[in-house]
Amino acid sequence: LALKWSRLLLRERRRRRRNEKRREDGTKSEKKSGNRRVGAELRTRTATRATWRTASKTTKRNGRSTRSLRRSLTDKKTFGRPSRPNREVRMQSVLLTAAILDVGIQFVGWALASVFKTEKFYDLFGSGTFALIAITSLLSKGTPGLKQFLLAVLILIWALRLGSFLVVRVLKTGGDKRFDGVKSNPGKFAVYWFLQAVWVYVTMLPTLFVMNATLTSKVLAWSDYIGLSLFLLGFGLESMSDLQKYKFKMDPENTGKFINSGIWSYSRHPNYFGEMLLWWGLYVICVPTLRGPQHLACLSPIFLTYLLCFVSGIPILERSAEKKWGSQKAYKEYKSKVPVLIPFFHTRGLEHTKKSDVADGDFSSDLEEGIEDVSD
């Protein structure tokens, strides 16, 4: 045992001399080149050596050999270069940050709107949340890839266009009839803001996955160009249809009339069709980057499509239009010739007949008029 320890001490002395010599050489080179990494490695070696000294005293007690102890203490995973960050933990933290940011913005908007009893902040905070989450996700990347930068720019363009259009229209018309019965009641008003928070987060889910992935490629794939084409087509269709209907409704001569010109002569809801197209385009861009459970993000465009087609979009607008112009021959002819959503393609599942309109007692006329004036 004494012979073993004497050999061990001799090896330790030789190792110390080599390390001191390396440290001297490293210190000189560090002073000359100013490389901080060398200094960090030297400090790491010093800490390793000090830890080995302390632990070697308990080697005999723990029943471990000195060589195995030294290997465990000088393992690169422990004292070498830092290990790679856990991508799953980082992804969860980013998604949580986006959720907190989303709910926080909607809470601030609800508080201001409840205090001033106004609905003019609603659309501004909705589109602003999209833009702020996209910017925050992009800045957190440091050096984003081309696809991540493209997604952020597309969402910013869409949010700025839609947000500015809705805010200007609310200011022009003087208000939003959807909130006439709830803006004076903070509890009921909070439901609308909460639903907007859910809409923002679910819609941005595929983009959030891609924005926070590790991408180094500076070239777009063929699927990215397909998604970009769908986005541009949908964005142009939505922008033009919104502008045409806005000009139509601002003309005093068109009071009480329905629009059947321009893009509206090919679809009764071209703006909704454009909205669906652009978000499906963004999803196509995101698909190649998604991994494993992240493919559940396909529920995002499906949710948006279902919401507009069967819940709060087309059904209410079709019932409202039927009540206003259902007895007019011109509207009946327009409805029979022009598809409800997709141009040149009639979808019977989205058509609403008079029988379904009669069983609609739960909807108030004020709410339907508000959605017809604002959502379209």
Side-chain angles (χ1 to χ4, degrees):
L1 183 61
L3 181 61
K4 182 178 180 180
W5 277 102
S6 62
R7 291 177 179 176
L8 180 63
L9 291 175
L10 182 61
R11 292 175 183 174
E12 180 62 20
R13 289 177 183 175
R14 292 176 181 174
R15 191 181 63 82
R16 288 182 183 178
R17 292 175 183 175
R18 289 196 302 267
N19 290 342
E20 289 177 358
K21 186 176 181 180
R22 292 174 182 174
R23 184 173 58 183
E24 292 177 359
D25 297 337
T27 304
K28 293 179 181 180
S29 62
E30 183 181 6
K31 291 180 180 180
K32 292 180 181 180
S33 61
N35 192 339
R36 296 183 179 180
R37 184 178 61 83
V38 178
E41 291 180 356
L42 292 174
R43 288 190 294 271
T44 302
R45 293 173 183 173
T46 304
T48 304
R49 187 166 60 250
T51 306
W52 183 84
R53 289 177 186 172
T54 304
S56 63
K57 297 179 181 179
T58 60
T59 302
K60 185 176 181 180
R61 186 190 313 170
N62 296 336
R64 299 175 60 187
S65 65
T66 307
R67 183 174 297 179
S68 63
L69 178 65
R70 183 181 297 175
R71 287 177 180 177
S72 64
L73 292 176
T74 57
D75 189 4
K76 292 183 179 181
K77 294 182 180 180
T78 307
F79 294 99
R81 296 180 180 178
S83 58
R84 296 180 180 178
N86 192 332
R87 182 177 179 182
E88 294 182 359
V89 174
R90 181 174 176 271
M91 179 65 70
Q92 292 175 3
S93 64
V94 169
L95 294 177
L96 181 61
T97 302
I100 294 175
L101 188 63
D102 180 20
V103 175
I105 294 175
Q106 302 308 315
F107 178 79
V108 173
W110 166 79
L112 293 175
S114 299
V115 170
F116 294 102
K117 290 183 173 55
T118 179
E119 72 282 4
K120 296 181 180 179
F121 300 140
Y122 190 78
D123 295 320
L124 177 63
F125 275 79
S127 57
T129 305
F130 278 97
L132 190 58
I133 291 179
I135 293 174
T136 304
S137 301
L138 185 65
L139 294 179
S140 65
K141 288 300 299 176
T143 306
L146 180 59
K147 179 183 291 190
Q148 294 163 333
F149 182 77
L150 176 64
L151 288 172
V153 170
L154 294 180
I155 291 180
L156 282 176
I157 293 175
W158 172 84
L160 292 176
R161 201 286 308 179
L162 183 63
S164 59
F165 173 77
L166 294 177
V167 171
V168 170
R169 187 173 61 180
V170 168
L171 295 177
K172 286 278 188 178
T173 57
D176 191 336
K177 294 182 180 180
R178 290 177 297 176
F179 307 105
D180 288 346
V182 297
K183 61 184 178 183
S184 58
N185 189 330
K188 294 181 179 180
F189 204 13
V191 176
Y192 285 80
W193 289 90
F194 173 76
L195 292 177
Q196 181 165 256
V198 174
W199 168 63
V200 171
Y201 192 78
V202 173
T203 305
M204 287 201 67
L205 196 57
T207 306
L208 287 175
F209 282 130
V210 177
M211 291 289 289
N212 297 280
T214 303
L215 301 178
T216 58
S217 176
K218 301 296 182 181
V219 181
L220 296 177
W222 61 269
S223 59
D224 299 330
Y225 288 104
I226 294 177
L228 180 60
S229 301
L230 289 175
F231 177 88
L232 295 177
L233 178 61
F235 182 80
L237 186 61
E238 183 183 28
S239 302
M240 290 300 298
S241 58
D242 282 341
L243 182 61
Q244 288 179 1
K245 187 165 187 180
Y246 177 75
K247 291 182 177 180
F248 179 84
K249 294 180 74 66
M250 289 295 104
D251 189 353
E253 298 181 357
N254 297 325
T255 303
K257 298 180 180 179
F258 63 92
I259 181 172
N260 57 357
S261 59
I263 301 177
W264 297 85
S265 62
Y266 301 99
S267 171
R268 303 207 296 269
H269 303 282
N271 52 348
Y272 284 163
F273 183 59
E275 180 79 1
M276 297 174 194
L277 273 182
L278 66 90
W279 284 110
W280 276 104
L282 289 176
Y283 174 71
V284 171
I285 297 176
C286 298
V287 167
T289 311
L290 302 180
R291 296 292 182 270
Q294 295 179 0
H295 284 288
L296 291 175
C298 67
L299 297 176
S300 172
I302 293 176
F303 169 76
L304 178 67
T305 303
Y306 179 80
L307 190 68
L308 294 179
C309 290
F310 302 104
V311 182
S312 64
I314 294 176
I316 295 179
L317 293 178
E318 285 293 302
R319 284 188 288 263
S320 177
E322 188 67 28
K323 289 181 179 180
K324 288 183 178 180
W325 308 296
S327 59
Q328 298 182 14
K329 183 178 180 180
Y331 179 75
K332 291 180 180 180
E333 184 178 355
Y334 169 74
K335 189 175 181 180
S336 62
K337 292 182 178 181
V338 179
V340 63
L341 182 64
I342 305 175
F344 309 108
F345 186 77
H346 288 270
T347 51
R348 295 183 178 180
L350 299 179
E351 297 288 345
H352 296 271
T353 61
K354 293 183 178 181
K355 184 178 293 186
S356 62
D357 296 335
V358 174
D360 194 51
D362 295 338
F363 293 89
S364 64
S365 59
D366 293 338
L367 178 61
E368 291 183 352
E369 289 182 2
I371 294 180
E372 198 279 334
D373 291 336
V374 177
S375 299
D376 232 3

